mmCIF file of all heavy atoms in Angstrom:
data_model
loop_
_atom_site.group_PDB
_atom_site.id
_atom_site.type_symbol
_atom_site.label_atom_id
_atom_site.label_comp_id
_atom_site.label_asym_id
_atom_site.label_seq_id
_atom_site.Cartn_x
_atom_site.Cartn_y
_atom_site.Cartn_z
ATOM 1 N N GLY F 287 -182.819 46.773 -90.341
ATOM 2 C CA GLY F 287 -183.264 46.557 -88.985
ATOM 3 C C GLY F 287 -183.105 45.109 -88.545
ATOM 4 O O GLY F 287 -182.976 44.174 -89.298
ATOM 5 N N MET F 288 -183.118 44.937 -87.225
ATOM 6 C CA MET F 288 -183.085 43.570 -86.672
ATOM 7 C C MET F 288 -184.419 42.876 -86.961
ATOM 8 O O MET F 288 -184.495 41.660 -87.046
ATOM 9 C CB MET F 288 -182.846 43.645 -85.147
ATOM 10 C CG MET F 288 -181.444 44.079 -84.741
ATOM 11 S SD MET F 288 -181.174 44.024 -82.954
ATOM 12 C CE MET F 288 -181.271 42.259 -82.637
ATOM 13 N N THR F 289 -185.458 43.670 -87.051
ATOM 14 C CA THR F 289 -186.757 43.154 -87.456
ATOM 15 C C THR F 289 -187.421 44.139 -88.398
ATOM 16 O O THR F 289 -186.906 45.247 -88.588
ATOM 17 C CB THR F 289 -187.660 42.890 -86.222
ATOM 18 O OG1 THR F 289 -188.845 42.180 -86.665
ATOM 19 C CG2 THR F 289 -188.087 44.171 -85.555
ATOM 20 N N GLY F 290 -188.549 43.737 -88.977
ATOM 21 C CA GLY F 290 -189.203 44.608 -89.936
ATOM 22 C C GLY F 290 -190.311 43.825 -90.665
ATOM 23 O O GLY F 290 -190.697 42.702 -90.253
ATOM 24 N N GLU F 291 -190.894 44.398 -91.726
ATOM 25 C CA GLU F 291 -191.975 43.762 -92.419
ATOM 26 C C GLU F 291 -191.588 42.405 -92.944
ATOM 27 O O GLU F 291 -192.312 41.415 -92.839
ATOM 28 C CB GLU F 291 -192.418 44.637 -93.600
ATOM 29 C CG GLU F 291 -193.291 45.842 -93.203
ATOM 30 C CD GLU F 291 -194.680 45.403 -92.826
ATOM 31 O OE1 GLU F 291 -195.030 44.222 -92.992
ATOM 32 O OE2 GLU F 291 -195.469 46.266 -92.364
ATOM 33 N N TRP F 292 -190.396 42.259 -93.521
ATOM 34 C CA TRP F 292 -189.970 40.991 -94.102
ATOM 35 C C TRP F 292 -189.818 39.918 -93.011
ATOM 36 O O TRP F 292 -190.261 38.781 -93.134
ATOM 37 C CB TRP F 292 -188.660 41.127 -94.858
ATOM 38 C CG TRP F 292 -188.258 39.932 -95.620
ATOM 39 C CD1 TRP F 292 -188.645 39.577 -96.849
ATOM 40 C CD2 TRP F 292 -187.411 38.876 -95.155
ATOM 41 N NE1 TRP F 292 -188.051 38.395 -97.224
ATOM 42 C CE2 TRP F 292 -187.287 37.934 -96.217
ATOM 43 C CE3 TRP F 292 -186.669 38.621 -93.990
ATOM 44 C CZ2 TRP F 292 -186.531 36.794 -96.091
ATOM 45 C CZ3 TRP F 292 -185.894 37.489 -93.889
ATOM 46 C CH2 TRP F 292 -185.833 36.597 -94.966
ATOM 47 N N GLN F 293 -189.225 40.335 -91.899
ATOM 48 C CA GLN F 293 -188.979 39.384 -90.797
ATOM 49 C C GLN F 293 -190.301 38.944 -90.137
ATOM 50 O O GLN F 293 -190.465 37.780 -89.776
ATOM 51 C CB GLN F 293 -188.028 39.970 -89.761
ATOM 52 C CG GLN F 293 -186.616 40.213 -90.299
ATOM 53 C CD GLN F 293 -186.467 41.608 -90.911
ATOM 54 O OE1 GLN F 293 -187.386 42.176 -91.446
ATOM 55 N NE2 GLN F 293 -185.239 42.160 -90.835
ATOM 56 N N VAL F 294 -191.210 39.878 -89.966
ATOM 57 C CA VAL F 294 -192.438 39.598 -89.278
ATOM 58 C C VAL F 294 -193.459 38.882 -90.163
ATOM 59 O O VAL F 294 -194.119 37.914 -89.732
ATOM 60 C CB VAL F 294 -193.062 40.908 -88.709
ATOM 61 C CG1 VAL F 294 -194.491 40.653 -88.187
ATOM 62 C CG2 VAL F 294 -192.205 41.445 -87.587
ATOM 63 N N ASN F 295 -193.632 39.363 -91.363
ATOM 64 C CA ASN F 295 -194.669 38.823 -92.244
ATOM 65 C C ASN F 295 -194.169 37.868 -93.294
ATOM 66 O O ASN F 295 -194.932 37.138 -93.906
ATOM 67 C CB ASN F 295 -195.383 39.979 -92.986
ATOM 68 C CG ASN F 295 -196.094 40.894 -92.000
ATOM 69 O OD1 ASN F 295 -196.734 40.449 -91.041
ATOM 70 N ND2 ASN F 295 -195.924 42.210 -92.181
ATOM 71 N N GLY F 296 -192.842 37.802 -93.463
ATOM 72 C CA GLY F 296 -192.311 36.959 -94.497
ATOM 73 C C GLY F 296 -191.577 35.717 -93.919
ATOM 74 O O GLY F 296 -192.050 34.582 -94.042
ATOM 75 N N ARG F 297 -190.471 36.028 -93.235
ATOM 76 C CA ARG F 297 -189.635 34.983 -92.663
ATOM 77 C C ARG F 297 -189.344 33.887 -93.734
ATOM 78 O O ARG F 297 -189.074 34.169 -94.892
ATOM 79 C CB ARG F 297 -190.318 34.341 -91.453
ATOM 80 C CG ARG F 297 -190.670 35.319 -90.370
ATOM 81 C CD ARG F 297 -189.459 35.870 -89.643
ATOM 82 N NE ARG F 297 -188.908 34.887 -88.698
ATOM 83 C CZ ARG F 297 -187.933 35.155 -87.883
ATOM 84 N NH1 ARG F 297 -187.362 36.368 -87.848
ATOM 85 N NH2 ARG F 297 -187.449 34.231 -87.065
ATOM 86 N N SER F 298 -189.440 32.641 -93.343
ATOM 87 C CA SER F 298 -189.061 31.529 -94.266
ATOM 88 C C SER F 298 -190.078 31.270 -95.381
ATOM 89 O O SER F 298 -189.843 30.520 -96.301
ATOM 90 C CB SER F 298 -188.898 30.207 -93.462
ATOM 91 O OG SER F 298 -190.063 29.925 -92.773
ATOM 92 N N LYS F 299 -191.265 31.925 -95.289
ATOM 93 C CA LYS F 299 -192.324 31.677 -96.292
ATOM 94 C C LYS F 299 -192.071 32.438 -97.562
ATOM 95 O O LYS F 299 -192.613 32.070 -98.624
ATOM 96 C CB LYS F 299 -193.690 32.037 -95.705
ATOM 97 C CG LYS F 299 -194.091 31.216 -94.511
ATOM 98 C CD LYS F 299 -195.446 31.637 -93.989
ATOM 99 C CE LYS F 299 -195.854 30.827 -92.744
ATOM 100 N NZ LYS F 299 -197.159 31.240 -92.229
ATOM 101 N N VAL F 300 -191.291 33.501 -97.543
ATOM 102 C CA VAL F 300 -191.021 34.297 -98.736
ATOM 103 C C VAL F 300 -190.049 33.581 -99.630
ATOM 104 O O VAL F 300 -189.000 33.166 -99.228
ATOM 105 C CB VAL F 300 -190.473 35.710 -98.344
ATOM 106 C CG1 VAL F 300 -190.049 36.449 -99.604
ATOM 107 C CG2 VAL F 300 -191.492 36.470 -97.547
ATOM 108 N N ARG F 301 -190.418 33.420 -100.890
ATOM 109 C CA ARG F 301 -189.610 32.718 -101.829
ATOM 110 C C ARG F 301 -189.244 33.555 -103.048
ATOM 111 O O ARG F 301 -188.709 33.055 -104.006
ATOM 112 C CB ARG F 301 -190.352 31.448 -102.305
ATOM 113 C CG ARG F 301 -190.385 30.334 -101.223
ATOM 114 C CD ARG F 301 -188.995 29.759 -101.001
ATOM 115 N NE ARG F 301 -189.013 28.668 -100.027
ATOM 116 C CZ ARG F 301 -188.807 28.924 -98.742
ATOM 117 N NH1 ARG F 301 -188.633 30.156 -98.297
ATOM 118 N NH2 ARG F 301 -188.794 27.925 -97.842
ATOM 119 N N SER F 302 -189.499 34.826 -103.006
ATOM 120 C CA SER F 302 -189.233 35.691 -104.148
ATOM 121 C C SER F 302 -188.615 37.038 -103.690
ATOM 122 O O SER F 302 -189.081 37.622 -102.730
ATOM 123 C CB SER F 302 -190.516 35.975 -104.895
ATOM 124 O OG SER F 302 -190.332 37.014 -105.859
ATOM 125 N N PHE F 303 -187.557 37.416 -104.381
ATOM 126 C CA PHE F 303 -186.925 38.663 -104.059
ATOM 127 C C PHE F 303 -187.867 39.850 -104.244
ATOM 128 O O PHE F 303 -187.831 40.837 -103.558
ATOM 129 C CB PHE F 303 -185.638 38.862 -104.912
ATOM 130 C CG PHE F 303 -184.961 40.207 -104.699
ATOM 131 C CD1 PHE F 303 -184.364 40.448 -103.493
ATOM 132 C CD2 PHE F 303 -184.895 41.158 -105.724
ATOM 133 C CE1 PHE F 303 -183.695 41.673 -103.280
ATOM 134 C CE2 PHE F 303 -184.273 42.334 -105.509
ATOM 135 C CZ PHE F 303 -183.671 42.596 -104.289
ATOM 136 N N GLU F 304 -188.777 39.720 -105.263
ATOM 137 C CA GLU F 304 -189.740 40.761 -105.476
ATOM 138 C C GLU F 304 -190.646 40.984 -104.252
ATOM 139 O O GLU F 304 -191.036 42.105 -103.916
ATOM 140 C CB GLU F 304 -190.624 40.446 -106.697
ATOM 141 C CG GLU F 304 -189.915 40.580 -108.042
ATOM 142 C CD GLU F 304 -188.863 39.540 -108.315
ATOM 143 O OE1 GLU F 304 -188.970 38.434 -107.654
ATOM 144 O OE2 GLU F 304 -187.944 39.740 -109.111
ATOM 145 N N ASP F 305 -190.943 39.863 -103.558
ATOM 146 C CA ASP F 305 -191.761 39.948 -102.348
ATOM 147 C C ASP F 305 -191.001 40.681 -101.204
ATOM 148 O O ASP F 305 -191.566 41.433 -100.394
ATOM 149 C CB ASP F 305 -192.200 38.603 -101.854
ATOM 150 C CG ASP F 305 -193.260 37.976 -102.776
ATOM 151 O OD1 ASP F 305 -193.937 38.758 -103.456
ATOM 152 O OD2 ASP F 305 -193.376 36.723 -102.781
ATOM 153 N N VAL F 306 -189.686 40.414 -101.120
ATOM 154 C CA VAL F 306 -188.852 41.084 -100.136
ATOM 155 C C VAL F 306 -188.879 42.580 -100.419
ATOM 156 O O VAL F 306 -189.045 43.397 -99.488
ATOM 157 C CB VAL F 306 -187.432 40.546 -100.169
ATOM 158 C CG1 VAL F 306 -186.518 41.379 -99.245
ATOM 159 C CG2 VAL F 306 -187.369 39.066 -99.790
ATOM 160 N N ILE F 307 -188.690 42.986 -101.683
ATOM 161 C CA ILE F 307 -188.713 44.407 -102.030
ATOM 162 C C ILE F 307 -190.053 45.021 -101.726
ATOM 163 O O ILE F 307 -190.106 46.108 -101.159
ATOM 164 C CB ILE F 307 -188.437 44.536 -103.557
ATOM 165 C CG1 ILE F 307 -187.002 44.138 -103.875
ATOM 166 C CG2 ILE F 307 -188.644 45.994 -104.013
ATOM 167 C CD1 ILE F 307 -185.930 45.013 -103.338
ATOM 168 N N ARG F 308 -191.107 44.254 -102.017
ATOM 169 C CA ARG F 308 -192.449 44.800 -101.746
ATOM 170 C C ARG F 308 -192.674 45.059 -100.247
ATOM 171 O O ARG F 308 -193.199 46.110 -99.889
ATOM 172 C CB ARG F 308 -193.500 43.813 -102.247
ATOM 173 C CG ARG F 308 -194.959 44.223 -101.941
ATOM 174 C CD ARG F 308 -195.928 43.179 -102.459
ATOM 175 N NE ARG F 308 -195.670 41.810 -101.958
ATOM 176 C CZ ARG F 308 -196.001 41.417 -100.704
ATOM 177 N NH1 ARG F 308 -196.620 42.256 -99.887
ATOM 178 N NH2 ARG F 308 -195.746 40.188 -100.327
ATOM 179 N N LEU F 309 -192.243 44.124 -99.440
ATOM 180 C CA LEU F 309 -192.391 44.274 -97.984
ATOM 181 C C LEU F 309 -191.530 45.449 -97.462
ATOM 182 O O LEU F 309 -191.932 46.192 -96.606
ATOM 183 C CB LEU F 309 -192.056 42.970 -97.282
ATOM 184 C CG LEU F 309 -193.077 41.828 -97.488
ATOM 185 C CD1 LEU F 309 -192.495 40.564 -96.919
ATOM 186 C CD2 LEU F 309 -194.388 42.172 -96.805
#
Side-chain angles (χ1 to χ4, degrees):
M288 291 185 65
T289 189
E291 282 286 354
W292 187 86
Q293 294 91 329
V294 170
N295 297 316
R297 304 288 285 186
S298 59
K299 296 179 181 179
V300 173
R301 287 291 179 269
S302 168
F303 178 66
E304 286 72 22
D305 288 337
V306 174
I307 293 294
R308 176 181 56 79
L309 290 170

